[in-house]
Amino acid sequence: MRGVFIMPVTSVAGEIRVPGDKSISHRAALLGGMAHGETYISNFLLGQDCLSTLRCLKQLGVSWERQGSEVRICGQGMEAWREPSDVLDAGNSGTTLRLMLGVLAGSPFSVTLTGDASLRSRPMRRVTDPLKQMGAQIMGRQGGNLVPLTMNGGQLQGHTIRTLVPSAQVKSAIILAGLRAKGETRVEEPARSRDHTERMLRGFGVDVHSEGTEIWVQGGGHLTGQDVSVPGDISSAAFFLVLGSLAGSGEMILPDVGVNPTRTGILDALRAMGADIEVTDVSEVCGEPRATLRVRPARLKGTEIGGDLIPRLIDEIPILALAASLAEGETVIRGAAELRVKETDRIRTVANGLNTLGAKVEELPDGLRIQGHSSLRGGLVSSHGDHRLAMAWAIAGLVSKEGVSVENMDAADVSYPDFLHVIKQVIQ
Ligand code: S3P
């Protein structure tokens, strides 16, 4: 068989410290680079995506040093950023690319940004159009929709922008550009997306206002370097929440996981399916809530997932679909067309992958219809270079009858470099 073979297991147990939150790590590095003074980040995610953000910052003249997952950034303010002598490569990371576009829109120089094959096919107009309205000049394929993109930044004018999709990357890019614009910049979202940028900007001393789905800032905000402790990533914890629910026996404990309410849709969805998940030791560190999650096996049943819940669990849908394929009854996920423009078209790749493994999944234009079964056969599937698929297929192997071979398992390095090693520690 090709790929990495994952054998079925019946029992899982242990305590797992999932790596630092990807969204928060990106923002800590970026805001640290924009701030005046030193920023010290602990539990920074060493996934390829966040390393791309650090590399781009270095090319822009921001100096930082890293020891393991501790990063120290010597911020000298955005005025100190310099025109890079080469193209900035965001790799597989949409967050690096879109947030960088926002920050660079107000920088008085020219910069070209690109990414890997997946990122080069993902839509950027949702960011470039608002930034152009604010005064940035951006050129690229499809009228500035696809990277490589060249941006000539400069003086921006604040604007009110109604976004068409709830996207924290788009919202953050506009807010970060707004900090360097004249006057007020306001974003109105169709539904609330993750709010890490707003929370962290407040920690760095910037006045960010928000009410419901509206966020606004005044231009000229000054950032002061901070200590940022990054909580564990709930999107990484999700793989163990599903594994712990589907396993035959055992208990898993996940300490220090971020439980920002804009990210905890996976807890709501799994509990609605009957999962046995306990949340304890809730505290707030650096403006972000964190908690210990404890999961035990449970009989899951099908559910309906849609509406405002979707942005709160958008990255967890691949692993949630696996849970649904082993639940009793039907699960329908709607209103998730955004999945089509993630690292892969996750509606297609999840449906095809699960069907290859013996599940019964129907692709919908904006979601999935999944008929639950008491078991999953197994087989050979590919990650297609998508980190969340690689990890979902590995979990599928553990809970399958015959095991799963995962092609391109290395893709997991984007958000969870040690994933297979950790899996080995929890299987009994
Ligand atoms: C992210 C926002 C989400 C999410 C992505 C990380 C962020 O994307 O899917 O993995 O850190 O802002 P969208 O903004 O495209 O919804």
Side-chain angles (χ1 to χ4, degrees), residues 22-23 27 95 98 126 166-170 194 314-315 338 342 388:
K22 183 156 80 71
S23 293
R27 286 158 173 81
T95 310
R98 293 189 174 126
R126 50 182 64 194
S167 159
Q169 293 176 357
V170 173
R194 63 190 68 189
I314 189 75
D315 293 338
E338 271 297 293
K342 293 294 178 188
R388 304 220 189 267

Side-chain angles (χ1 to χ4, degrees), residues 290-313:
R290 57 175 72 186
T292 296
L293 309 182
R294 186 184 298 262
V295 58
R296 299 183 194 91
R299 283 171 78 93
L300 300 185
K301 54 184 193 307
T303 189
E304 290 197 2
I305 296 170
D308 289 358
L309 185 55
I310 294 294
R312 297 179 54 234
L313 51 61

Side-chain angles (χ1 to χ4, degrees), residues 278-291:
E278 237 182 89
V279 179
T280 57
D281 308 323
V282 184
S283 64
E284 189 165 305
V285 182
C286 302
E288 290 281 352
R290 57 175 72 186

Side-chain angles (χ1 to χ4, degrees), residues 91-139:
N92 192 243
S93 175
T95 310
T96 306
L97 197 102
R98 293 189 174 126
L99 268 57
M100 273 290 173
L101 281 170
V103 183
L104 291 170
S107 297
F109 51 71
S110 174
V111 50
T112 299
L113 300 105
T114 192
D116 70 4
S118 157
L119 197 54
R120 288 199 303 275
S121 69
R122 295 179 66 188
M124 296 299 150
R125 182 163 291 132
R126 50 182 64 194
V127 181
T128 54
D129 272 358
L131 295 178
K132 282 181 189 171
Q133 284 176 46
M134 294 173 75
Q137 289 174 31
I138 306 168
M139 278 166 303

Side-chain angles (χ1 to χ4, degrees), residues 138-180:
I138 306 168
M139 278 166 303
R141 292 181 296 142
Q142 289 184 2
N145 188 36
L146 297 178
V147 290
L149 289 169
T150 295
M151 147 118 45
N152 289 309
Q155 184 56 62
L156 304 176
Q157 184 63 49
H159 246 274
T160 294
I161 289 158
R162 277 179 202 87
T163 60
L164 298 175
V165 285
S167 159
Q169 293 176 357
V170 173
K171 170 180 68 177
S172 303
I174 298 167
I175 293 174
L176 293 173
L179 294 179
R180 312 184 72 183

Side-chain angles (χ1 to χ4, degrees), residues 158-376:
H159 246 274
T160 294
I161 289 158
R162 277 179 202 87
T163 60
L164 298 175
V165 285
S167 159
Q169 293 176 357
V170 173
K171 170 180 68 177
S172 303
I174 298 167
I175 293 174
L176 293 173
L179 294 179
R180 312 184 72 183
K182 277 196 190 139
E184 181 183 281
T185 296
R186 186 177 282 264
V187 183
E188 297 176 13
E189 294 199 283
R192 210 159 165 226
S193 63
R194 63 190 68 189
D195 65 355
H196 304 301
T197 302
E198 297 91 300
R199 287 173 185 253
M200 199 180 291
L201 275 173
R202 290 183 188 118
F204 276 73
V206 176
D207 265 348
V208 182
H209 308 274
S210 51
E211 213 177 283
T213 53
E214 286 189 32
I215 305 96
W216 63 101
V217 290
Q218 298 295 330
H222 182 93
L223 284 75
T224 308
Q226 295 295 311
D227 284 359
V228 182
S229 162
V230 181
D233 197 327
I234 192 165
S235 298
S236 299
F239 297 100
F240 298 106
L241 295 177
V242 170
L243 174 61
S245 298
L246 296 177
S249 61
E251 176 184 89
M252 268 188 298
I253 299 169
L254 309 162
D256 276 332
V257 177
V259 287
N260 178 318
T262 60
R263 296 284 300 282
T264 48
I266 183 69
L267 299 181
D268 298 348
L270 285 174
R271 279 171 164 167
M273 295 171 79
D276 180 0
I277 299 172
E278 237 182 89
V279 179
T280 57
D281 308 323
V282 184
S283 64
E284 189 165 305
V285 182
C286 302
E288 290 281 352
R290 57 175 72 186
T292 296
L293 309 182
R294 186 184 298 262
V295 58
R296 299 183 194 91
R299 283 171 78 93
L300 300 185
K301 54 184 193 307
T303 189
E304 290 197 2
I305 296 170
D308 289 358
L309 185 55
I310 294 294
R312 297 179 54 234
L313 51 61
I314 189 75
D315 293 338
E316 287 68 75
I317 290 179
I319 189 65
L320 197 55
L322 171 67
S325 74
L326 282 162
E328 192 188 321
E330 183 179 90
T331 294
V332 182
I333 303 172
R334 300 299 308 242
E338 271 297 293
L339 290 176
R340 295 214 180 265
V341 290
K342 293 294 178 188
E343 285 82 334
T344 56
D345 172 348
R346 285 184 180 157
I347 294 183
R348 179 143 303 168
T349 49
V350 167
N352 288 347
L354 282 175
N355 284 333
T356 302
L357 298 179
K360 208 162 165 235
V361 183
E362 185 193 337
E363 199 181 305
L364 304 173
D366 62 342
L368 297 161
R369 186 188 306 279
I370 303 160
Q371 308 297 338
H373 272 278
S374 54
S375 67
L376 187 71

